[in-house]
Amino acid sequence: MTGAIWNLLLGLAWVLLSGDFSGLNLLVGMVFGYIALVLIEPQVDALKGYPARVPRIIGFIGFFIKELVRANLRVAFDIVTPPWHMQPGVIALPLSARTEMEITIVANLISLTPGTLSLDVSDDRKVLYIHAMFLDDEEELRRNLKEMEHRALELFR
């Protein structure tokens, strides 16, 4: 978290010193700030792991946007075609997430994806119950949801 704050501060300093108050200039400043933080990371203990986390975050954002578009297209196709293709059902997904924060983030990511909704977590917090709009291939759905969970948990570990 410290690395992200420093990166933002370096980006804001770049904007202030350059006098160009645009979003693109802030992005350029944050890129230069990131490069500076990568260079000083070995000397500053508070920055340990930050340079490696940024590419994972960017990769996760790209992955999640791809999943969102794919799910939206599937739901939209089902809405505009006369015979409905959905086969709704509830599945139990074993969780690798252990903390409350990890479980909450995974459940919210699943609920944000159209066609799936997190319903409940078991009392022992090892299983997440999910309602799926398209349960025609349960194993593929489980595999996709586990991949989403794995990528989300990579951001914290």
Side-chain angles (χ1 to χ4, degrees):
M1 187 57 138
T2 304
I5 293 170
W6 276 107
N7 200 355
L8 182 61
L9 289 174
L10 288 170
L12 290 173
W14 175 269
V15 167
L16 289 173
L17 292 173
S18 69
D20 180 10
F21 298 95
S22 67
L24 182 61
N25 195 36
L26 176 63
L27 182 64
V28 169
M30 290 187 68
V31 168
F32 285 139
Y34 174 74
I35 292 169
L37 292 174
V38 167
L39 293 174
I40 67 168
E41 187 233 353
Q43 288 84 26
V44 181
D45 287 337
L47 296 175
K48 294 292 183 211
Y50 176 72
R53 193 172 296 128
V54 171
R56 286 190 302 218
I57 291 171
I58 293 170
F60 178 76
I61 290 171
F63 165 78
F64 191 69
I65 288 173
K66 179 189 73 144
E67 290 295 314
L68 272 178
V69 168
R70 202 177 87 197
N72 273 303
L73 290 174
R74 187 165 188 193
V75 171
F77 177 78
D78 195 50
I79 290 171
V80 298
T81 56
W84 285 6
H85 304 291
M86 70 173 150
Q87 297 175 345
V90 176
I91 64 167
L93 181 72
L95 288 172
S96 300
R98 293 292 167 233
T99 67
E100 293 288 329
M101 183 181 77
E102 290 174 346
I103 294 170
T104 301
I105 288 173
V106 169
N108 285 329
L109 287 171
I110 290 170
S111 291
L112 282 172
T113 308
T116 55
L117 178 67
S118 301
L119 297 175
D120 196 13
V121 179
S122 64
D123 291 336
D124 61 356
R125 294 187 294 177
K126 293 185 179 183
V127 177
L128 179 65
Y129 297 99
I130 300 164
H131 178 273
M133 190 172 162
F134 302 100
L135 200 57
D136 45 341
D137 189 358
E138 189 174 333
E139 287 308 312
E140 181 184 353
L141 177 64
R142 266 203 182 92
R143 195 171 41 256
N144 290 341
L145 294 174
K146 286 304 280 184
E147 181 181 359
M148 185 181 296
E149 178 190 26
H150 173 72
R151 286 177 178 248
L153 293 179
E154 268 185 356
L155 300 177
F156 302 105
R157 295 179 179 165

